[in-house]
Amino acid sequence: MSDVETQSQELQSQESEKQAANDNEKLFRLPLSRIKSIMKSDPDVTLASQEAVITLAKATELFIHSLSKDAVISTLNSKRKTLQRKDLDSMLDTKDCYVFLEGTLDS
Amino acid sequence: MAERPEDLNLPNAVVTRIIKDAIPENVNISKEARLAISKAASVFVLYATSCSNNFAVKSKRKTINAQDVINAMEDMEFEQFMEPLKKCLEGTQN
């Protein structure tokens, strides 16, 4: 029962987020500090320029966009209205460029 | 030191917004799918960082620059990202 409440809350916050996104495009950007933290977690990395962090943030946005677009094809083919985990999984198996994700998404 | 992968996750709100922009308006996204995409994005950053670093090291540099990131995309089979990233970079330089 609490799941239903959470879902309706999520829907409401999503709608208001959409409005906020239209008002301020900058909200679209992933936080550079978080990208930088992930980069720094690699022991081989010494330094990254600010431009590199910005470029990688943008690349990550493109990646999320691309991943979603590919996964939703499976959703639509199955005549569903909700993008589910299995849509992602089936697409990850199909496309070569996503092979680096193998085994990383199982928590 | 963050050992837990959640600490390196990207904020849900931004990830959700990008996903919603990519899919048709009447399609929703399950929580599990959203989390998986968010995690995938973090893994992408890690992998891209490693590839970018290789380019920097090859050029005998200790600092990863934007061009290293763009070159890494080609290595990772995301050539389609190179043009938009180059344009983005040119925009910030002018």
Side-chain angles (χ1 to χ4, degrees), chain A residues 14 34 44 47 49 81 83, chain B residues 9 20 28 30 53 64:
Chain A
Q14 275 171 14
R34 199 75 65 95
D44 295 329
L47 279 172
S49 73
K81 290 264 172 89
L83 202 166
Chain B
N9 262 351
K20 293 220 142 192
N28 293 315
S30 77
N53 198 40
I64 299 175

Side-chain angles (χ1 to χ4, degrees), chain A residues 14 18 65 67-77 80-83, chain B residues 16-29:
Chain A
Q14 275 171 14
K18 248 189 183 167
H65 193 100
L67 193 61
S68 308
K69 243 186 162 169
D70 286 341
V72 87
I73 293 170
S74 163
T75 313
L76 298 174
N77 281 342
R80 276 182 281 104
K81 290 264 172 89
T82 303
L83 202 166
Chain B
T16 307
R17 195 171 302 118
I18 301 172
I19 297 172
K20 293 220 142 192
D21 193 59
I23 64 181
E25 244 191 62
N26 61 333
V27 176
N28 293 315
I29 173 149

Side-chain angles (χ1 to χ4, degrees), chain B residues 46-78:
Chain B
L46 274 171
Y47 183 39
T49 299
S50 182
C51 291
S52 309
N53 198 40
N54 289 340
F55 279 100
V57 168
K58 257 194 263 184
S59 311
K60 305 217 169 131
R61 278 181 282 104
K62 290 210 170 147
T63 307
I64 299 175
N65 64 26
Q67 193 55 53
D68 295 326
V69 176
I70 293 174
N71 290 339
M73 295 300 120
E74 189 168 14
D75 250 19
M76 292 163 67
E77 296 186 55
F78 288 107

